[in-house]
């Protein structure tokens, strides 16, 4: 085999690591909606299917969530308080600070999308994977992601109503939609968890594919509606670049702030790793369905910042996790031999 033939798989592997395949599928879905948007009865059918898919998604989220594990993790309340403050306080403040870019570099809708990104809860799977790679506190990452998801069920729509409501005429109807399409299925999943938990565990892989297919359907429906509103007249290449730079600024600020705060507050290294990843990541799986419910036909440009941020956080945090994984292991503390019972040390022995 030639050297060139050997080099090709390496380049392909690097490309796969740099670009998340699921994000590539999302971008392909956006392209499909741009070229072949759903219209007429097809749009109605796609919208109804997307509503059902969102309900199913949150039912599965509720059925998978272990409340027992969540309660056990309360012992590390300081860690979870810090990650929650980053997710639901630091990010919204940073989003509000970007308002000066409207209307010069961002349209009102794109700024709404940036604000919505800032109120989305933290991710679970990515944070766990990154924490595990970097040899951080994985159980704490599981609990932190769980708490963020639970808090986000209420905090995300409430913060959206407070910060974004006037921009898109967001009203109590949006909160009612959240309750019927998100909270009720989630609560039903929690109630039925004992009965369906075994089935979900046995069919984890196909159900994971169903999750992703449902989100792709939500994205296709949102951008199909956006095409009817001339979405690509609002989103120029310059504005996309501005969004990417803003997403990079948000991510960089969150990474630096959580790292500094965790160090100043005296957290051990493994906990600091968990805080950095859980406090800087945002959930695409939760954010996209919520945006579809909250913003309806206007969701197209709103979800763009979240999609860009998600890809950026995967790329940057994967590099950081790999770098932290190469740190030397802490020296093991020797344990006393069980065959030699402890006894008082005599004066002769103490002097050597």
């Amino acid at each position: 085999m030639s050297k060139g033939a050997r080099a090709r798989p390496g380049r392909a592997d690097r490309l796969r690591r740099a670009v998340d395949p699921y994000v590539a599928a999302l971008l392909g879905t956006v392209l499909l909606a741009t070229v072949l948007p759903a219209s007429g009865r097809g749009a109605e059918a796609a919208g109804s299917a997307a509503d059902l898919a969102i309900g199913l998604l949150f039912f599965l989220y509720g059925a998978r969530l272990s409340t027992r594990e969540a309660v056990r993790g309360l012992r590390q309340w300081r860690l979870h308080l810090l990650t929650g403050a980053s997710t639901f306080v630091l990010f919204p403040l940073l989003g509000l600070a970007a308002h000066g870019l409207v209307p010069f570099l961002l349209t009102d809708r794109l700024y709404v999308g940036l604000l919505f990104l800032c109120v989305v809860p933290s991710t679970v799977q990515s944070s766990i994977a990154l924490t595990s790679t970097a040899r951080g506190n994985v159980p704490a990452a599981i609990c932190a992601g769980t708490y963020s998801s639970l808090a986000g069920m209420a905090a995300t729509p409430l913060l959206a109503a407070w910060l974004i409501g006037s921009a898109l005429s967001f009203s109590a109807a949006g909160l009612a939609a959240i309750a019927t399409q998100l909270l009720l299925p989630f609560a039903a999943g929690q109630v039925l968890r004992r009965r369906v938990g075994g089935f979900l565990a046995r069919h984890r892989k196909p159900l994971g594919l169903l999750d992703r297919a449902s989100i792709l359907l939500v994205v296709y429906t949102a951008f199909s509606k956006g095409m009817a509103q001339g979405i690509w007249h609002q989103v120029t290449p310059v504005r996309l670049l501005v969004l990417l730079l803003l997403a990079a600024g948000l991510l960089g600020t969150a990474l630096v702030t959580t790292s500094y705060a965790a160090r100043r507050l005296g957290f051990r290294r493994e906990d600091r790793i968990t805080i950095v990843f859980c406090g800087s990541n945002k959930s695409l799986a939760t954010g996209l369905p919520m945006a579809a419910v909250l913003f309806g036909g206007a969701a197209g440009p709103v979800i763009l910042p979240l999609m860009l941020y998600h890809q950026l956080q995967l790329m940057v945090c994967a590099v950081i996790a790999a770098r932290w994984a190469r740190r030397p292991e802490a020296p093991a503390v020797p344990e006393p031999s069980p065959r030699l019972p402890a006894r008082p040390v005599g004066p002769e022995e103490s002097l050597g």
Side-chain angles (χ1 to χ4, degrees), residues 25-323:
L26 286 169
L27 296 177
T29 303
V30 172
L31 179 61
L32 177 63
T34 301
V35 178
L36 295 173
S39 59
R41 292 185 178 180
E44 295 178 4
S48 299
D51 290 342
L52 291 174
I54 291 170
L56 177 61
L57 276 173
F58 279 82
F59 173 81
L60 293 175
Y61 293 162
R64 291 170 181 149
L65 181 64
S66 174
T67 51
R68 181 178 300 176
E69 293 297 327
V71 171
R72 286 178 183 174
L74 288 174
R75 292 189 297 268
Q76 293 183 288
W77 62 270
R78 291 174 65 246
L79 182 150
H80 304 308
L81 186 63
L82 183 55
T83 57
S86 175
T87 301
F88 297 114
V89 179
L90 174 64
F91 270 95
L93 290 175
L94 293 175
L96 289 172
H99 186 265
L101 299 177
V102 180
F104 307 104
L105 296 175
L106 292 178
T107 64
D108 288 332
R109 293 288 173 87
L110 290 178
Y111 176 66
V112 164
L114 187 71
L115 274 181
F116 180 72
L117 156 67
C118 291
V119 301
V120 168
S122 179
T123 183
V124 179
Q125 293 182 348
S126 296
S127 296
I128 294 171
L130 292 165
T131 301
S132 177
T133 300
R135 306 205 312 269
N137 189 340
V138 175
I142 295 172
C143 292
T146 299
Y147 296 148
S148 186
S149 298
L150 285 172
M153 295 297 295
T156 297
L158 290 176
L159 284 171
W162 181 31
L163 300 177
I164 309 173
S166 60
L168 285 178
S169 301
F170 183 66
S171 64
L175 295 178
I178 284 286
T180 56
Q181 287 189 257
L182 305 184
L183 293 180
L184 287 180
F186 181 86
Q190 279 281 283
V191 171
L192 298 175
R193 185 176 184 275
R194 290 186 177 181
R195 295 186 179 183
V196 302
F199 175 83
L200 296 181
R202 290 192 301 270
H203 300 85
R204 184 173 301 171
K205 188 172 182 179
L207 287 173
L209 295 175
L210 178 62
D211 283 357
R212 297 193 164 200
S214 299
I215 294 174
L216 292 177
L217 177 61
V218 170
V219 171
Y220 176 74
T221 304
F223 274 90
S224 291
K225 293 177 180 178
M227 287 301 296
Q229 301 169 1
I231 180 175
W232 296 118
H233 293 293
Q234 307 172 38
V235 186
T236 63
V238 172
R239 285 171 177 158
L240 275 177
L241 179 60
V242 171
L243 278 179
L244 186 61
L245 293 175
L246 286 173
L250 286 173
L251 179 60
T253 303
L255 290 170
V256 171
T257 303
T258 52
S259 178
Y260 176 79
R263 190 178 297 274
R264 291 286 295 176
L265 292 173
F267 285 94
R268 61 194 182 99
R269 178 180 291 180
E270 289 77 10
D271 291 341
R272 293 202 303 268
I273 291 171
T274 301
I275 291 168
V276 168
F277 289 137
C278 294
S280 63
N281 279 217
K282 291 290 185 176
S283 175
L284 191 73
T286 303
L288 290 183
M290 279 191 170
V293 173
L294 288 171
F295 302 103
V302 172
I303 63 178
L304 270 178
L306 179 58
M307 291 172 61
L308 290 173
Y309 187 90
H310 181 78
Q311 173 60 33
L312 196 62
Q313 78 184 12
L314 290 177
M315 294 170 60
V316 173
C317 292
V319 173
I320 295 173
R323 181 179 178 183

